[in-house]
């Protein structure tokens, strides 16, 4: 794949990153999300230093990510359990017809 350089704006500053062609949209979306998160934190805490804004944003995003992972694990277990119950009922129905 081709490597390309993209520029993103975070807290009013421009940064350049390298990425694969197929990752461009995802990286731009991530930068937009990070910038919005940092802007929101800065708006609520105007005296917070830029370093602290970045750390707070990173902690918030990591926390969201871990919560989503836990939620996905829960739902995966629920779906697997439901599929197993349906499979058991199907096997029972098929075996009773024979």
């Amino acid at each position: 794949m081709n490597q390309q350089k993209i520029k993103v704006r975070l807290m009013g500053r421009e940064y350049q990153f390298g990425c694969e062609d197929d990752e461009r949209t995802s990286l731009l979306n991530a930068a937009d999300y990070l910038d919005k998160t940092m802007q929101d934190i800065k708006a609520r805490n105007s005296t917070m230093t830029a370093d602290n804004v970045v750390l707070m944003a990173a902690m918030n995003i990591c926390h969201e990510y871990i919560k989503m992972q836990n939620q996905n694990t829960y739902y995966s277990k629920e779906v697997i359990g439901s599929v197993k119950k349906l499979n058991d009922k199907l096997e029972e129905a098929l075996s009773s017809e024979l």
Side-chain angles (χ1 to χ4, degrees):
M1 296 219 175
N2 290 336
Q3 186 87 6
Q4 64 173 292
K5 292 184 180 186
I6 63 168
K7 292 180 182 177
V8 299
R9 258 187 131 48
L10 301 170
M11 295 281 295
R13 293 181 62 190
E14 195 170 272
Y15 298 89
Q16 187 169 302
F17 294 95
C19 69
E20 299 294 328
D21 289 338
D22 63 339
E23 295 176 336
R24 183 179 191 279
T25 300
S26 180
L27 183 58
L28 290 173
N29 288 338
D32 287 343
Y33 186 76
L34 177 57
D35 185 54
K36 182 185 179 323
T37 301
M38 291 191 311
Q39 296 288 353
D40 290 346
I41 291 168
K42 185 66 175 173
R44 288 191 311 267
N45 305 286
S46 61
T47 60
M48 191 177 276
T49 67
D51 287 347
N52 286 343
V53 169
V54 170
L55 289 173
M56 180 72 78
M59 286 296 294
N60 288 345
I61 292 169
C62 287
H63 183 245
E64 290 172 13
Y65 175 74
I66 289 169
K67 280 178 24 181
M68 286 182 191
Q69 275 187 318
N70 291 338
Q71 193 173 32
N72 285 343
T73 299
Y74 171 77
Y75 288 132
S76 291
K77 288 179 183 178
E78 288 292 313
V79 167
I80 289 170
S82 295
V83 168
K84 184 177 177 346
K85 286 178 187 175
L86 288 171
N87 191 42
D88 290 347
K89 286 182 181 182
L90 181 60
E91 285 182 10
E92 183 180 318
L94 289 174
S95 66
S96 66
E97 287 184 8
L98 298 175

